[in-house]
Amino acid sequence: MLGNNRPILQGSMMSRKLAAFVATGVALAVVVGSLLVLALGHQRQPEPTAATTQTSTSTTPSPTATDTPTLNAPPSTPRKPAPNPTAALATGNKKVLFFSFDDGPDPLWTPKVLQVLAKYGAHATFFELGAMQTAHPGLREQVLAAGNTIGSHSITHPQLTAITPARRHHEIFDGPKSTCFRPPYGASNPKVRADIKAAGMVQVLWDVDPRDWARPGTNAIVHNIMTHAHNHNIILMHDGGGNRAQTVAALDKVLPLLKAQGYSFPAMDC
């Protein structure tokens, strides 16, 4: 019985081997076919365009239309940084105060401030706006001829920390020529200071703000200066930006009082 069943068993085993071989071949064919399809499909994918690449990789916003006409390209190399404008004038025990006037030149108030300064042999630094210089030519020369100095206060008095980099660059680099820069409102940050330095200037703020810009009254301005001013301080006042009658009157009162205390009033080295 066993002997008669051997051919049947052998045939069954051969059939199974053949079926396994065929199944393996079919699987290989499927795999190879899939790979060919994937390869052909990959070759048909379109290449990304330049616009798509720029959109996905660019992080720098483009200048707005209002920035473009006034934007000057940054210099290829930074200008030489300016020195401290008060260092050489405020050495030792010499009693000095530095008066400064913002927002001019104004055709009415700047000449009045110049008259009071000359009356007491005092000098000051005028942080001027480029737009005001353009609107009132000749006043810059009057300021300089009287022995004063000029700093830049930007072109149009924006808050430099709240505008585009392009406009900030324009306001700093293309404003009044000087080695001193006073940011409008005193608003500054590392980017503003970096632009000021790259433009070859030094940032100049103040120590005493008598709030003359708010027109609190002549006596209030005088009291504020006399109370808070100390040796080597920079005092902030204004010769532009509005009615400066109180400023002129306060200056006429405070200069002789301070002079009697031994102070002199040089202009900053700007």
mmCIF file of all heavy atoms in Angstrom, residues 213-241:
data_model
loop_
_atom_site.group_PDB
_atom_site.id
_atom_site.type_symbol
_atom_site.label_atom_id
_atom_site.label_comp_id
_atom_site.label_asym_id
_atom_site.label_seq_id
_atom_site.Cartn_x
_atom_site.Cartn_y
_atom_site.Cartn_z
ATOM 1 N N TRP A 213 8.161 121.685 25.440
ATOM 2 C CA TRP A 213 7.322 121.351 24.297
ATOM 3 C C TRP A 213 5.834 121.339 24.660
ATOM 4 O O TRP A 213 4.960 121.538 23.817
ATOM 5 C CB TRP A 213 7.726 119.979 23.732
ATOM 6 C CG TRP A 213 7.824 118.901 24.774
ATOM 7 C CD1 TRP A 213 8.944 118.562 25.486
ATOM 8 C CD2 TRP A 213 6.776 118.055 25.251
ATOM 9 N NE1 TRP A 213 8.657 117.546 26.382
ATOM 10 C CE2 TRP A 213 7.337 117.213 26.257
ATOM 11 C CE3 TRP A 213 5.430 117.912 24.933
ATOM 12 C CZ2 TRP A 213 6.586 116.252 26.933
ATOM 13 C CZ3 TRP A 213 4.672 116.946 25.606
ATOM 14 C CH2 TRP A 213 5.253 116.131 26.596
ATOM 15 N N ALA A 214 5.528 121.108 25.949
ATOM 16 C CA ALA A 214 4.146 121.080 26.414
ATOM 17 C C ALA A 214 3.639 122.464 26.831
ATOM 18 O O ALA A 214 2.472 122.596 27.219
ATOM 19 C CB ALA A 214 3.997 120.109 27.580
ATOM 20 N N ARG A 215 4.527 123.468 26.808
ATOM 21 C CA ARG A 215 4.195 124.845 27.183
ATOM 22 C C ARG A 215 3.538 124.908 28.577
ATOM 23 O O ARG A 215 2.404 125.380 28.738
ATOM 24 C CB ARG A 215 3.303 125.492 26.118
ATOM 25 C CG ARG A 215 3.976 125.587 24.762
ATOM 26 C CD ARG A 215 3.270 126.565 23.835
ATOM 27 N NE ARG A 215 1.971 126.068 23.387
ATOM 28 C CZ ARG A 215 1.804 125.294 22.303
ATOM 29 N NH1 ARG A 215 2.859 124.929 21.586
ATOM 30 N NH2 ARG A 215 0.596 124.904 21.939
ATOM 31 N N PRO A 216 4.262 124.459 29.606
ATOM 32 C CA PRO A 216 3.698 124.459 30.967
ATOM 33 C C PRO A 216 3.778 125.821 31.641
ATOM 34 O O PRO A 216 3.301 125.972 32.777
ATOM 35 C CB PRO A 216 4.585 123.448 31.697
ATOM 36 C CG PRO A 216 5.921 123.607 31.025
ATOM 37 C CD PRO A 216 5.616 123.874 29.573
ATOM 38 N N GLY A 217 4.389 126.794 30.983
ATOM 39 C CA GLY A 217 4.592 128.113 31.578
ATOM 40 C C GLY A 217 6.077 128.394 31.725
ATOM 41 O O GLY A 217 6.873 127.478 31.996
ATOM 42 N N THR A 218 6.457 129.652 31.548
ATOM 43 C CA THR A 218 7.884 130.019 31.602
ATOM 44 C C THR A 218 8.512 129.637 32.935
ATOM 45 O O THR A 218 9.604 129.048 32.986
ATOM 46 C CB THR A 218 8.040 131.529 31.359
ATOM 47 O OG1 THR A 218 7.553 131.848 30.042
ATOM 48 C CG2 THR A 218 9.501 131.943 31.461
ATOM 49 N N ASN A 219 7.855 129.952 34.031
ATOM 50 C CA ASN A 219 8.429 129.678 35.360
ATOM 51 C C ASN A 219 8.586 128.183 35.610
ATOM 52 O O ASN A 219 9.542 127.755 36.269
ATOM 53 C CB ASN A 219 7.568 130.311 36.446
ATOM 54 C CG ASN A 219 7.647 131.831 36.439
ATOM 55 O OD1 ASN A 219 8.641 132.399 35.989
ATOM 56 N ND2 ASN A 219 6.598 132.499 36.929
ATOM 57 N N ALA A 220 7.644 127.381 35.106
ATOM 58 C CA ALA A 220 7.752 125.934 35.281
ATOM 59 C C ALA A 220 8.969 125.392 34.533
ATOM 60 O O ALA A 220 9.677 124.497 35.036
ATOM 61 C CB ALA A 220 6.476 125.250 34.781
ATOM 62 N N ILE A 221 9.236 125.915 33.358
ATOM 63 C CA ILE A 221 10.412 125.478 32.593
ATOM 64 C C ILE A 221 11.688 125.861 33.333
ATOM 65 O O ILE A 221 12.615 125.054 33.469
ATOM 66 C CB ILE A 221 10.378 126.107 31.176
ATOM 67 C CG1 ILE A 221 9.151 125.623 30.401
ATOM 68 C CG2 ILE A 221 11.657 125.755 30.412
ATOM 69 C CD1 ILE A 221 8.923 126.353 29.089
ATOM 70 N N VAL A 222 11.731 127.105 33.830
ATOM 71 C CA VAL A 222 12.917 127.561 34.571
ATOM 72 C C VAL A 222 13.127 126.707 35.814
ATOM 73 O O VAL A 222 14.255 126.263 36.100
ATOM 74 C CB VAL A 222 12.768 129.051 34.957
ATOM 75 C CG1 VAL A 222 13.897 129.477 35.909
ATOM 76 C CG2 VAL A 222 12.760 129.924 33.715
ATOM 77 N N HIS A 223 12.075 126.471 36.571
ATOM 78 C CA HIS A 223 12.184 125.677 37.805
ATOM 79 C C HIS A 223 12.687 124.269 37.496
ATOM 80 O O HIS A 223 13.540 123.726 38.231
ATOM 81 C CB HIS A 223 10.828 125.619 38.502
ATOM 82 C CG HIS A 223 10.822 124.761 39.730
ATOM 83 N ND1 HIS A 223 11.384 125.155 40.930
ATOM 84 C CD2 HIS A 223 10.323 123.494 39.953
ATOM 85 C CE1 HIS A 223 11.242 124.201 41.828
ATOM 86 N NE2 HIS A 223 10.604 123.179 41.264
ATOM 87 N N ASN A 224 12.188 123.660 36.449
ATOM 88 C CA ASN A 224 12.599 122.301 36.087
ATOM 89 C C ASN A 224 14.092 122.254 35.782
ATOM 90 O O ASN A 224 14.814 121.353 36.249
ATOM 91 C CB ASN A 224 11.785 121.834 34.876
ATOM 92 C CG ASN A 224 11.823 120.336 34.696
ATOM 93 O OD1 ASN A 224 12.844 119.699 34.873
ATOM 94 N ND2 ASN A 224 10.692 119.760 34.308
ATOM 95 N N ILE A 225 14.574 123.224 35.030
ATOM 96 C CA ILE A 225 15.998 123.237 34.683
ATOM 97 C C ILE A 225 16.852 123.482 35.918
ATOM 98 O O ILE A 225 17.843 122.777 36.165
ATOM 99 C CB ILE A 225 16.278 124.304 33.610
ATOM 100 C CG1 ILE A 225 15.599 123.922 32.289
ATOM 101 C CG2 ILE A 225 17.788 124.464 33.395
ATOM 102 C CD1 ILE A 225 15.687 124.994 31.222
ATOM 103 N N MET A 226 16.506 124.472 36.716
ATOM 104 C CA MET A 226 17.308 124.817 37.890
ATOM 105 C C MET A 226 17.309 123.694 38.926
ATOM 106 O O MET A 226 18.282 123.532 39.676
ATOM 107 C CB MET A 226 16.786 126.107 38.522
ATOM 108 C CG MET A 226 16.883 127.340 37.629
ATOM 109 S SD MET A 226 18.566 127.688 37.045
ATOM 110 C CE MET A 226 19.429 127.959 38.583
ATOM 111 N N THR A 227 16.248 122.901 38.962
ATOM 112 C CA THR A 227 16.155 121.816 39.946
ATOM 113 C C THR A 227 16.931 120.581 39.511
ATOM 114 O O THR A 227 17.557 119.906 40.349
ATOM 115 C CB THR A 227 14.682 121.429 40.175
ATOM 116 O OG1 THR A 227 13.957 122.570 40.627
ATOM 117 C CG2 THR A 227 14.563 120.309 41.201
ATOM 118 N N HIS A 228 16.942 120.283 38.237
ATOM 119 C CA HIS A 228 17.463 119.002 37.772
ATOM 120 C C HIS A 228 18.800 119.066 37.041
ATOM 121 O O HIS A 228 19.443 118.037 36.862
ATOM 122 C CB HIS A 228 16.432 118.325 36.868
ATOM 123 C CG HIS A 228 15.151 117.999 37.557
ATOM 124 N ND1 HIS A 228 14.001 118.754 37.415
ATOM 125 C CD2 HIS A 228 14.829 117.015 38.438
ATOM 126 C CE1 HIS A 228 13.033 118.241 38.146
ATOM 127 N NE2 HIS A 228 13.505 117.185 38.777
ATOM 128 N N ALA A 229 19.228 120.228 36.622
ATOM 129 C CA ALA A 229 20.467 120.313 35.855
ATOM 130 C C ALA A 229 21.682 120.185 36.764
ATOM 131 O O ALA A 229 21.759 120.840 37.814
ATOM 132 C CB ALA A 229 20.524 121.632 35.089
ATOM 133 N N HIS A 230 22.596 119.321 36.372
ATOM 134 C CA HIS A 230 23.862 119.131 37.084
ATOM 135 C C HIS A 230 25.011 119.160 36.086
ATOM 136 O O HIS A 230 24.810 119.082 34.875
ATOM 137 C CB HIS A 230 23.845 117.799 37.851
ATOM 138 C CG HIS A 230 22.740 117.682 38.848
ATOM 139 N ND1 HIS A 230 22.707 118.388 40.033
ATOM 140 C CD2 HIS A 230 21.595 116.949 38.828
ATOM 141 C CE1 HIS A 230 21.614 118.085 40.704
ATOM 142 N NE2 HIS A 230 20.916 117.216 39.990
ATOM 143 N N ASN A 231 26.194 119.276 36.623
ATOM 144 C CA ASN A 231 27.381 119.433 35.773
ATOM 145 C C ASN A 231 27.439 118.371 34.673
ATOM 146 O O ASN A 231 27.205 117.186 34.915
ATOM 147 C CB ASN A 231 28.638 119.347 36.643
ATOM 148 C CG ASN A 231 29.862 119.876 35.928
ATOM 149 O OD1 ASN A 231 29.746 120.626 34.955
ATOM 150 N ND2 ASN A 231 31.038 119.499 36.399
ATOM 151 N N HIS A 232 27.741 118.819 33.465
ATOM 152 C CA HIS A 232 27.898 117.975 32.274
ATOM 153 C C HIS A 232 26.574 117.483 31.691
ATOM 154 O O HIS A 232 26.583 116.679 30.761
ATOM 155 C CB HIS A 232 28.816 116.777 32.537
ATOM 156 C CG HIS A 232 30.183 117.139 33.028
ATOM 157 N ND1 HIS A 232 31.081 116.197 33.504
ATOM 158 C CD2 HIS A 232 30.815 118.324 33.124
ATOM 159 C CE1 HIS A 232 32.206 116.800 33.872
ATOM 160 N NE2 HIS A 232 32.068 118.096 33.653
ATOM 161 N N ASN A 233 25.456 117.919 32.221
ATOM 162 C CA ASN A 233 24.158 117.477 31.707
ATOM 163 C C ASN A 233 23.860 118.079 30.338
ATOM 164 O O ASN A 233 24.314 119.175 30.001
ATOM 165 C CB ASN A 233 23.032 117.870 32.657
ATOM 166 C CG ASN A 233 22.878 116.919 33.837
ATOM 167 O OD1 ASN A 233 22.059 117.163 34.710
ATOM 168 N ND2 ASN A 233 23.653 115.844 33.890
ATOM 169 N N ILE A 234 23.031 117.334 29.578
ATOM 170 C CA ILE A 234 22.469 117.828 28.320
ATOM 171 C C ILE A 234 21.017 118.201 28.584
ATOM 172 O O ILE A 234 20.241 117.398 29.106
ATOM 173 C CB ILE A 234 22.552 116.758 27.219
ATOM 174 C CG1 ILE A 234 24.013 116.406 26.920
ATOM 175 C CG2 ILE A 234 21.854 117.236 25.943
ATOM 176 C CD1 ILE A 234 24.174 115.237 25.965
ATOM 177 N N ILE A 235 20.654 119.438 28.228
ATOM 178 C CA ILE A 235 19.306 119.953 28.485
ATOM 179 C C ILE A 235 18.537 120.006 27.168
ATOM 180 O O ILE A 235 19.020 120.552 26.169
ATOM 181 C CB ILE A 235 19.371 121.346 29.127
ATOM 182 C CG1 ILE A 235 20.128 121.258 30.462
ATOM 183 C CG2 ILE A 235 17.966 121.902 29.353
ATOM 184 C CD1 ILE A 235 20.443 122.603 31.080
ATOM 185 N N LEU A 236 17.360 119.432 27.167
ATOM 186 C CA LEU A 236 16.511 119.374 25.977
ATOM 187 C C LEU A 236 15.536 120.545 25.953
ATOM 188 O O LEU A 236 14.778 120.764 26.897
ATOM 189 C CB LEU A 236 15.718 118.059 25.982
ATOM 190 C CG LEU A 236 14.600 117.927 24.949
ATOM 191 C CD1 LEU A 236 15.168 117.871 23.536
ATOM 192 C CD2 LEU A 236 13.757 116.694 25.237
ATOM 193 N N MET A 237 15.570 121.304 24.825
ATOM 194 C CA MET A 237 14.581 122.347 24.590
ATOM 195 C C MET A 237 14.201 122.325 23.111
ATOM 196 O O MET A 237 14.704 121.481 22.352
ATOM 197 C CB MET A 237 15.111 123.719 25.032
ATOM 198 C CG MET A 237 15.474 123.771 26.520
ATOM 199 S SD MET A 237 16.008 125.403 27.122
ATOM 200 C CE MET A 237 14.413 126.167 27.410
ATOM 201 N N HIS A 238 13.328 123.232 22.677
ATOM 202 C CA HIS A 238 12.820 123.196 21.307
ATOM 203 C C HIS A 238 12.775 124.589 20.689
ATOM 204 O O HIS A 238 12.323 125.537 21.344
ATOM 205 C CB HIS A 238 11.424 122.567 21.275
ATOM 206 C CG HIS A 238 11.401 121.139 21.704
ATOM 207 N ND1 HIS A 238 11.461 120.764 23.042
ATOM 208 C CD2 HIS A 238 11.349 119.989 20.987
ATOM 209 C CE1 HIS A 238 11.437 119.440 23.122
ATOM 210 N NE2 HIS A 238 11.364 118.941 21.895
ATOM 211 N N ASP A 239 13.223 124.672 19.444
ATOM 212 C CA ASP A 239 13.097 125.927 18.690
ATOM 213 C C ASP A 239 12.139 125.754 17.514
ATOM 214 O O ASP A 239 12.015 126.648 16.675
ATOM 215 C CB ASP A 239 14.462 126.407 18.190
ATOM 216 C CG ASP A 239 15.090 125.461 17.181
ATOM 217 O OD1 ASP A 239 14.939 124.227 17.340
ATOM 218 O OD2 ASP A 239 15.748 125.937 16.240
ATOM 219 N N GLY A 240 11.481 124.612 17.427
ATOM 220 C CA GLY A 240 10.527 124.339 16.364
ATOM 221 C C GLY A 240 9.385 123.495 16.886
ATOM 222 O O GLY A 240 9.343 123.130 18.060
ATOM 223 N N GLY A 241 8.442 123.201 16.006
ATOM 224 C CA GLY A 241 7.337 122.330 16.372
ATOM 225 C C GLY A 241 6.150 123.027 16.999
ATOM 226 O O GLY A 241 5.250 122.365 17.515
#
